[in-house]
Amino acid sequence: MLTVHSVKKLNGKCRVPGDKSISHRAVMLAGISEGKTTIDGFLKGEDCLSTIRCFEQMGVLVQEEKDRICIVGKGHKGLSEPKNVLDAGNSGTTMRLMAGILSGQNFHSVITGDDSLRGRPMERIAVPLRKMGAIIDGRENGKKAPLAIRGGQLKAIEYELPVASAQIKSAVLLAGLFAEGTTRVIEPRASRDHTERMLGSFGITVDTDGLSRTVKPGKLKGTHIEVPGDISSAAFLLVAAACLEGSEVTLENVGINPTRSGIIKVLQQMGAEIMINHQREVGGEPIADLNIRGTKLNAVEIGEEMIPSLIDEIPVLAVAAACARGTTRITGASELRVKETDRISAMAEELEKVGIEVTTLEDGMVINGPQKIKGGRIDSHGDHRIAMAMAVAGLLSEDIVEISNESCMAVSFPGFMDIIRELIDG
Ligand code: S3P
């Protein structure tokens, strides 16, 4: 049980851990590359450690040298058949992206995950991968994990994604590396493009034309990857500082890829003062130091067009909405219902326990503010982002907020509460 006390303000400078999406991709691409890849800033969170363990089971050598991860890849189609079930833990990215790679290998594999992941939809990747020639089965008529994959020679497809999802897009593009012909994916809206950018660093070109991406089969060459700080982790600190008047926090080295940085735009629209300093590019990813000052916030409308760029930040944005003046409406976010938990109903349930009224919609939520956050006992539902969003609510509350099942924070942000403690000022 974690007890969070209210604070007056946050002050100081810090770094958030490495980006989860980028860390997963670095291990996967390194694993199928020829030669050695070094990764700095890798996120040692539970999700990315699951990816490492899965690739180790397929013969990939992963070594830790101080803060650097060194991976000796097995080359194109060089992975070996795993002798046991691969466990993706809580990580949708591990399961879905790895399924794309496994579909192109001449062997059989089975991937499972924890209770949450086994409940999440997998037909979204199974459908296009089957079209490419992979044989994929699973529970509930092939829709849920454990998934059994019989990979083999794939053929390229052209595929229109039913939802804007980087996980589906990446699964198909990664399978495309092993397919005959040119694979094309078209998205309804732009989702995060880390796979496309990182493939460039490994020597593979992904052509972009509006919302379409194409890739040809190709062999990857090992490289050096620097993982920027995760903007999705920074979001918890940004919201806490934004809501606490008088706060001033600087977050160094944060990834500000435009497909991910909706949280900055939305907080600015709400009235937060955010300065984006020292912008630079590292390994094809834009990064910057973010400086935020807390002020009074106003409500905001967040519609479908913004959602992919801040999908993982909505739980904590709901907390900001409770503190902001006016009515915040979040719509077009039905994907939240199939994340680690149903984040619309889980957030509404937990916010209500600390006195925040939330109207849930099928595809979002409406929150009138400002509302007083009271103390209470809440449950994380085993979802790292719910746990941290409610910890932020605790910092802003009138009384103590107790959070059970809080260890899941380590899925994406090990040391979250330590960083918060360092920033507390009064
Ligand atoms: C991720 C993509 C997003 C995001 C998830 C990580 C990725 O999921 O919610 O936390 O690394 O590609 P979808 O692409 O399914 O929306």
Side-chain angles (χ1 to χ4, degrees), residues 20-21 25 93 96 124 164-167 192 311-312 339:
K20 180 159 78 72
S21 293
R25 284 159 173 80
T93 308
R96 296 198 177 113
R124 48 178 59 197
S165 158
Q167 294 184 349
R192 64 192 66 189
I311 183 75
D312 293 338
K339 293 293 177 192

Side-chain angles (χ1 to χ4, degrees), residues 24-296:
H24 281 300
R25 284 159 173 80
V27 173
M28 294 189 194
L29 298 190
I32 56 168
S33 292
E34 264 146 42
K36 184 170 158 179
T37 294
T38 46
I39 309 169
D40 286 349
F42 180 80
L43 170 64
K44 289 180 200 153
E46 293 300 330
D47 269 14
C48 299
L49 296 176
S50 294
T51 296
I52 289 191
R53 282 192 288 269
C54 289
F55 277 78
E56 282 177 333
Q57 265 179 267
M58 294 187 283
V60 174
L61 185 66
V62 182
Q63 282 174 325
E64 229 182 296
E65 284 171 17
K66 288 189 187 152
D67 287 337
R68 173 170 283 190
I69 302 278
C70 296
I71 297 186
V72 182
K74 299 286 287 180
H76 196 69
K77 292 211 172 190
L79 295 175
S80 36
E81 185 173 73
K83 293 198 178 79
N84 206 341
V85 173
L86 300 168
D87 188 358
N90 189 239
S91 173
T93 308
T94 307
M95 184 168 289
R96 296 198 177 113
L97 270 61
M98 194 166 66
I101 292 173
L102 293 174
S103 293
Q105 312 297 315
N106 290 319
F107 58 65
H108 165 81
S109 52
V110 179
I111 327 175
T112 192
D114 67 6
D115 284 353
S116 150
L117 188 55
R118 281 183 281 108
R120 294 177 66 187
M122 291 300 148
E123 88 254 59
R124 48 178 59 197
I125 47 125
V127 166
L129 295 174
R130 284 185 195 125
K131 281 191 203 270
M132 296 178 86
I135 299 169
I136 302 183
D137 208 348
R139 288 187 310 118
E140 296 185 19
N141 246 336
K143 294 189 175 125
K144 300 249 171 93
L147 296 177
I149 302 180
R150 161 73 54 192
Q153 185 50 59
L154 303 180
K155 52 183 189 304
I157 55 165
E158 189 168 309
Y159 191 66
E160 271 190 46
L161 302 191
V163 280
S165 158
Q167 294 184 349
I168 313 178
K169 172 177 63 176
S170 302
V172 178
L173 289 175
L174 293 174
L177 296 172
F178 304 98
E180 262 169 40
T182 304
T183 297
R184 180 155 180 243
V185 285
I186 303 123
E187 297 194 272
R189 295 193 185 283
S191 66
R192 64 192 66 189
D193 62 0
H194 305 302
T195 303
E196 298 93 300
R197 287 174 187 253
M198 196 182 288
L199 277 170
S201 305
F202 282 89
I204 300 283
T205 307
V206 179
D207 285 320
T208 300
D209 181 9
L211 293 169
S212 135
R213 306 275 181 278
T214 51
V215 73
K216 291 195 170 70
K219 295 184 178 170
L220 282 64
K221 275 193 212 75
T223 185
H224 175 66
I225 299 287
E226 277 186 44
V227 182
D230 196 328
I231 189 158
S232 298
S233 298
F236 298 102
L237 307 174
L238 291 173
V239 167
C243 294
L244 289 163
E245 270 187 86
S247 291
E248 181 174 356
V249 169
T250 298
L251 304 173
E252 293 175 324
N253 215 41
V254 181
I256 53 161
N257 179 318
T259 60
R260 293 283 302 280
S261 52
I263 179 77
I264 299 180
K265 275 197 203 128
V266 164
L267 285 175
Q268 283 173 332
Q269 275 172 33
M270 294 176 89
E273 283 176 43
I274 304 183
M275 284 195 301
I276 304 173
N277 297 324
H278 193 203
Q279 286 195 49
R280 57 223 187 256
E281 205 173 282
V282 174
E285 289 282 349
I287 64 172
D289 300 337
L290 304 178
N291 176 273
I292 182 157
R293 288 165 197 242
T295 46
K296 286 204 164 37

